[in-house]
DNA sequence: TATACGTGGGG
DNA sequence: TCCCCAAGTAT
């Protein structure tokens, strides 16, 4: 067992605790949604769903989860897959490190743990991409262990139940919430209790307009009693995205387009792209020599042509103002550097591209009138 | 501890 | 258009 750090304990009123468990579980039994990952308690299936659901809406995840499970029905299937295939099934979901970490972790489980997802907190927490929340979620849902699984929903619910004004953006606040969660936890039904908390946050205890009239525990909620449910949770505002000028090179030769795998770390790590340069201050024109230089260092000499179009793409932390520039490869590196490859124009769905590049490829396709038909998008 | 890391939906 | 948000983790 992992040693929990010495967190303060909160001696909650016993009657309050029992009533909240009873009301929450009863409400969950009556109102829980039919979701694909609730059809079994297979630890692998629970695990995949929890990774996909990180910072991602349920409605967005459902089709991805179904496609993923049809193609990788068991942990061994996923462990034996190529990383490019895994990324292809993650294409468009975002936070792509989740997919690479999950794949690496599943391979470790297959080889080191005999294909069985670890059942103890210490071991499962060492797997890539499995943090405090995911460890608690898998252990409670799949293995019925009384571990807290405190996500954004649970923090919102708790901040209201206990009228807490701690900033939920701070890691220390979540640790405090986990201490509360351990106190309130239903030891008989840990998985349902954790899911009930999250379901309440998702269906009733909304961020902006909580439906307190429909809440099964409204009489037990301190924020409601004080009429401050709309003021909670307290959360520090995020910084706005930083604008960047970006150029995508759409470089052709003999009906093929040059594409490049992005580096293994950082933004869109490991995904395919068009050759790209980005800069905060330079204008787009000033960026062209940088792109030429990058390509020359890889052995490509390019003559630039028309601007094919422009588009914007907003990440959580930066905003790309993209110019798509047509180019013709005059001379080509032999052999082709590892991170580059040629794709037949229009056949983009053989590789996994993030959304920003899908936008650009769609613009280029509309220019050239090719009949691009992506299989997923 | 604060920041990087995607994307899409809704008010 | 803008802002907030959504089942977090790694560093």
């Amino acid at each position: 067992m992992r040693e929990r750090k010495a967190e303060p304990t909160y001696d909650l009123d016993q009657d309050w605790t029992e009533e909240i468990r009873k009301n929450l579980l009863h409400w969950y039994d009556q109102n829980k949604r039919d979701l694909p990952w609730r059809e079994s308690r297979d630890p692998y299936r629970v695990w995949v769903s929890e990774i996909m659901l990180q910072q991602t809406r349920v409605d967005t995840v459902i089709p991805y989860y179904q496609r993923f499970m049809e193609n990788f029905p068991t942990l061994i299937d996923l462990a034996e897959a190529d990383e490019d295939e895994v990324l292809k099934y993650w294409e468009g979901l975002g936070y792509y490190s989740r997919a690479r970490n999950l794949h690496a972790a599943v391979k470790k489980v297959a080889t080191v743990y005999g294909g069985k997802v670890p059942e103890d907190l210490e071991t499962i927490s060492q797997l890539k991409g499995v943090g405090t929340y995911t460890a608690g979620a898998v252990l409670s849902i799949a293995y019925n262990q009384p571990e807290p699984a405190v996500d954004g929903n649970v923090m919102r619910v708790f901040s209201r139940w206990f009228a807490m004004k701690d900033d939920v953006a701070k890691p220390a606040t979540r640790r405090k919430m986990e201490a509360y969660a351990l106190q309130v936890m239903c030891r008989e039904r840990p998985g349902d209790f954790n899911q009930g908390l999250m379901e309440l946050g998702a269906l009733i205890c909304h961020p902006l307009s909580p439906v307190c009239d429909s809440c099964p525990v409204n009489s037990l909620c301190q924020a409601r009693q004080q009429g401050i449910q709309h003021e909670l949770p307290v959360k520090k505002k995020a910084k706005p995205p930083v604008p960047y000028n970006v150029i995508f090179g759409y470089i052709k030769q003999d009906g093929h387009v040059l594409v490049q795998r992005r580096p293994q770390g950082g933004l869109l790590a490991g995904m395919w792209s068009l050759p790209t340069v980005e800069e905060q201050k330079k204008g787009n024109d000033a960026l062209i020599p940088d792109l030429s230089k990058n390509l020359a260092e890889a052995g490509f000499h390019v003559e630039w042509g028309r601007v094919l179009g422009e588009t914007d793409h907003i990440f959580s932390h930066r905003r790309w103002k993209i110019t798509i520039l047509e180019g013709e490869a005059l001379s080509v590196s032999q052999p082709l550097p590892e991170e580059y490859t040629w794709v037949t124009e229009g056949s983009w769905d053989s590789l996994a591209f993030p959304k920003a590049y899908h936008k650009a490829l769609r613009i280029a396709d509309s220019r050239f009138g090719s009949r691009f038909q992506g299989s997923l998008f």
Side-chain angles (χ1 to χ4, degrees):
Chain A
M1 284 288 275
R2 182 186 67 175
E3 292 288 329
R4 286 192 179 282
K5 286 204 178 132
E7 295 292 341
T9 57
Y10 302 92
D11 290 321
L12 303 176
D13 179 81
Q14 278 302 324
D15 294 337
W16 182 93
T17 302
E18 280 173 28
E19 193 171 355
I20 220 146
R21 283 178 194 146
K22 179 168 63 71
N23 292 2
L24 181 69
L25 282 167
H26 182 256
W27 174 85
Y28 180 67
D29 289 337
Q30 303 291 317
N31 295 281
K32 70 177 175 185
R33 291 168 289 181
D34 277 322
L35 298 171
W37 44 89
R38 288 184 175 156
E39 291 170 9
S40 89
R41 289 194 190 179
D42 177 355
Y44 164 67
R45 294 187 157 248
V46 172
W47 180 11
V48 170
S49 74
E50 293 300 342
I51 300 297
M52 285 190 172
L53 286 162
Q54 289 169 6
Q55 300 292 287
T56 310
R57 290 185 144 71
V58 166
D59 288 345
T60 301
V61 167
I62 289 173
Y64 280 90
Y65 178 81
Q66 288 174 327
R67 280 196 297 266
F68 198 90
M69 280 310 170
E70 283 166 16
N71 284 276
F72 311 112
T74 71
L75 185 145
I76 300 302
D77 293 316
L78 181 56
E80 292 176 345
D82 290 335
E83 181 167 305
D84 270 334
E85 189 186 4
V86 178
L87 285 175
K88 187 65 193 172
Y89 281 89
W90 211 273
E91 183 182 46
L93 240 198
Y95 285 146
Y96 299 101
S97 293
R98 291 183 295 176
R100 297 184 301 127
N101 287 338
L102 172 64
H103 191 220
V106 157
K107 286 204 277 192
K108 180 174 183 182
V109 170
T111 55
V112 179
Y113 303 126
K116 177 164 174 51
V117 178
E119 327 192 31
D120 66 286
L121 190 60
E122 179 75 32
T123 311
I124 200 172
S125 298
Q126 287 170 6
L127 296 170
K128 283 186 183 177
V130 178
T132 313
Y133 163 77
T134 304
V138 173
L139 292 181
S140 64
I141 296 169
Y143 292 127
N144 212 37
Q145 294 183 33
E147 293 292 341
V150 175
D151 71 338
N153 288 122
V154 177
M155 289 208 282
R156 186 170 60 256
V157 167
F158 278 8
S159 72
R160 287 173 175 156
W161 281 4
F162 303 113
M164 294 168 62
K165 295 181 179 173
D166 307 65
D167 181 354
V168 296
K170 292 185 182 301
T173 302
R174 196 175 72 163
R175 290 194 290 275
K176 184 172 174 180
M177 300 279 188
E178 283 163 357
Y180 274 103
L182 270 176
Q183 302 277 308
V184 192
M185 174 74 61
C186 172
R187 321 289 294 193
E188 287 73 37
R189 300 176 60 190
D192 286 340
F193 185 80
N194 282 339
Q195 291 186 87
L197 281 174
M198 293 187 269
E199 198 80 338
L200 187 73
L203 300 182
I204 303 287
C205 200
H206 298 302
L208 298 180
S209 49
V211 193
C212 298
D213 288 346
S214 306
C215 179
V217 292
N218 55 13
S219 66
L220 302 168
C221 178
Q222 288 187 37
R224 176 105 191 295
Q225 289 166 16
Q226 299 172 215
I228 58 171
Q229 64 266 211
H230 297 281
E231 324 298 320
L232 298 174
V234 173
K235 190 176 191 176
K236 189 184 63 184
K237 285 191 201 309
K239 292 174 185 169
V242 179
Y244 283 75
N245 289 310
V246 179
I247 297 183
F248 290 174
Y250 189 85
I251 300 158
K252 290 199 274 192
Q253 188 178 68
D254 301 331
H256 293 263
V257 175
L258 184 65
V259 300
Q260 180 179 19
R261 190 194 291 279
R262 292 183 59 91
Q264 280 305 117
L267 186 65
L268 307 174
M271 300 294 284
W272 288 93
S273 72
L274 297 170
T276 299
V277 284
E278 64 167 319
E279 234 287 336
Q280 278 192 66
K281 292 172 185 168
K282 292 181 189 174
N284 282 3
D285 289 348
L287 274 174
I288 297 176
D290 292 350
L291 185 53
S292 297
K293 178 163 155 282
N294 290 350
L295 290 161
E297 285 170 359
F300 302 97
H301 294 275
V302 175
E303 180 177 64
W304 299 112
R306 298 170 294 169
V307 168
L308 295 178
E310 297 183 339
T311 184
D312 277 29
H313 188 77
I314 303 173
F315 303 101
S316 48
H317 56 304
R318 60 180 78 177
R319 169 195 295 266
W320 274 2
K321 184 169 177 45
I322 301 162
T323 300
I324 306 142
L325 190 58
E326 182 180 25
E328 166 89 20
L330 301 179
S331 72
V332 168
S333 168
Q334 295 290 343
L336 209 57
E338 206 178 54
E339 71 269 30
Y340 290 93
T341 191
W342 295 95
V343 175
T344 303
E345 199 169 12
S347 303
W348 318 120
D349 59 336
S350 56
L351 265 24
F353 292 97
K355 289 287 184 183
Y357 296 96
H358 271 282
K359 285 186 194 172
L361 293 171
R362 217 177 344 261
I363 287 169
D365 281 331
S366 68
R367 278 285 183 135
F368 298 121
S370 71
R371 294 188 299 282
F372 167 44
Q373 298 170 353
S375 59
L376 293 175
F377 303 97

